[in-house]
Amino acid sequence: MGVPLLSDVPPSHPRYASLLTREKLVEGVERGITGLNGLIAQGRGEALDYLLGEVTTPPAEEAERAAAALLLLAERPVLSVNGNAAALVPREMVDLARKIGAPLEVNIFYRTEERVRRIADHLRSFGAEEVFGETPDASVPGLDHARGKASRGGIFDADVVFVPLEDGDRCEALVRMGKRVVTVDLNPLSRTARTSTVTIVDNVVRALPNLISLVGEMGGQREAELREIVASYDNRAVLRRSVEAMVSHLSRQFSTFEE
Ligand code: ATP
Ligand code: MG
């Protein structure tokens, strides 16, 4: 197929990271793990990442720290994986799951049994030990049948769900069940962003490595310190600062045009 090979693009190319990400998603589609809608979602994300300057901002860092604290404190954490996360950060999701002792659950918006199985196999090929999602036996209240499928021992019973790139409705339904929801979403204005307990406004390809090192760093901290990080975290304020980070990046860019 006419997919450009990464080897055709030198790492010095100014859009190298973004081209690499696109290539991984196209490969995900070809392997049957990413849906076509996932490509559109990535495009929307990229536009917002451009506004951020394609960096992890201070508010994103603060959200990542709170997310790491929540995951470390959780009794039954679960990491949810969709087709985009499986294509972009499979190794990192498996690594994070191992570090916090959590299972993974395949949870996709446009569900087909075939795609769920392929994603689960893909995660197992990176060493995942416990992957839920292939045989859901429960449903999240308030969602239609296909969208609400969940697993006991996995998302259905979790106290903290890490669900990068989740849809707003499903996020809301998990929060209504009393779960704490950590999401990664480059859109600070989306329903997902506004509903979650902790919203990391960062690209998932930067957020995952950051979370893995934070969990390693903070793993030795006292429980009381971790609780304090969670208690003093204000998601609305962090979202507001993420919007401000976009605005100030844009105005700095604009002033360099004018010089
Ligand atoms: P709403 O939640 O208000 O319905 P939405 O923003 O969820 O809207 P979708 O197109 O359904 O719209 O979901 C895609 C979301 O995923 C976008 O908000 C986009 O910013 C985010 N996204 C896509 N790719 C990435 C990525 N690589 N890293 C982080 N976020 C991403
Ligand atoms: Mg949405």
Side-chain angles (χ1 to χ4, degrees):
M1 278 179 78
V3 179
L5 292 173
L6 193 62
S7 51
D8 296 342
V9 184
S12 58
H13 190 287
R15 309 231 43 81
Y16 184 76
S18 147
L19 291 171
L20 174 59
T21 304
R22 288 184 184 185
E23 215 168 283
K24 284 184 180 162
L25 282 171
V26 170
E27 203 189 313
V29 171
E30 288 180 340
R31 296 171 67 153
I33 60 176
T34 306
L36 282 174
N37 284 282
L39 300 180
I40 300 170
Q42 171 68 19
R44 180 186 268 206
E46 279 189 16
L48 290 154
D49 204 12
Y50 203 87
L51 303 186
L52 273 179
E54 297 171 316
V55 294
T56 300
T57 61
E61 239 173 77
E62 189 180 331
E64 284 161 5
R65 191 164 284 279
L70 262 182
L71 289 170
L72 286 165
L73 288 168
E75 277 172 34
R76 291 177 308 281
V78 176
L79 311 191
S80 168
V81 183
N82 72 0
N84 282 41
L88 294 177
V89 284
R91 189 182 302 281
E92 291 83 355
M93 291 298 288
V94 172
D95 194 13
L96 184 62
R98 186 179 306 113
K99 287 211 158 70
I100 59 170
L104 295 146
E105 180 159 340
V106 180
N107 171 36
I108 59 182
F109 196 71
Y110 297 99
R111 185 181 174 98
T112 71
E113 300 312 315
E114 174 66 14
R115 203 149 72 80
V116 171
R117 196 179 54 72
R118 282 179 196 257
I119 294 174
D121 284 344
H122 190 55
L123 294 170
R124 284 188 283 259
S125 78
F126 286 93
E129 280 157 22
E130 210 179 358
V131 184
F132 287 97
E134 289 161 292
T135 51
D137 54 1
S139 56
V140 175
L143 296 176
D144 69 54
H145 181 65
R147 301 266 145 84
K149 285 185 176 176
S151 307
R152 291 177 200 278
I155 289 177
F156 189 76
D157 294 318
D159 57 343
V160 176
V161 187
F162 176 60
V163 49
L165 319 173
E166 181 56 300
D167 166 71
D169 258 17
R170 296 204 305 184
C171 207
E172 209 170 359
L174 292 173
V175 169
R176 268 202 311 269
M177 281 180 86
K179 301 179 190 305
R180 306 230 247 178
V181 176
V182 178
T183 191
V184 180
D185 190 340
L186 278 160
N187 183 0
L189 303 172
S190 76
R191 284 213 304 148
T192 305
R194 286 181 286 149
T195 315
S196 300
T197 316
V198 174
T199 308
I200 299 169
V201 181
D202 201 0
N203 198 313
V204 78
V205 302
R206 295 190 300 269
L208 262 292
N210 289 347
L211 273 174
I212 290 167
S213 36
L214 282 167
V215 161
E217 231 174 77
M218 294 161 66
Q221 257 170 270
R222 288 205 325 272
E223 207 179 296
E225 287 172 344
L226 297 177
R227 287 196 190 286
E228 179 50 33
I229 292 171
V230 173
S232 61
Y233 179 80
D234 177 348
N235 204 47
R236 269 203 97 72
V238 166
L239 288 176
R240 171 178 291 278
R241 283 166 50 216
S242 300
V243 173
E244 286 164 1
M246 287 180 179
V247 172
S248 69
H249 175 71
L250 272 185
S251 59
R252 276 197 309 277
Q253 289 294 98
F254 198 69
S255 39
T256 55
F257 290 157
E258 287 177 322
E259 274 163 14

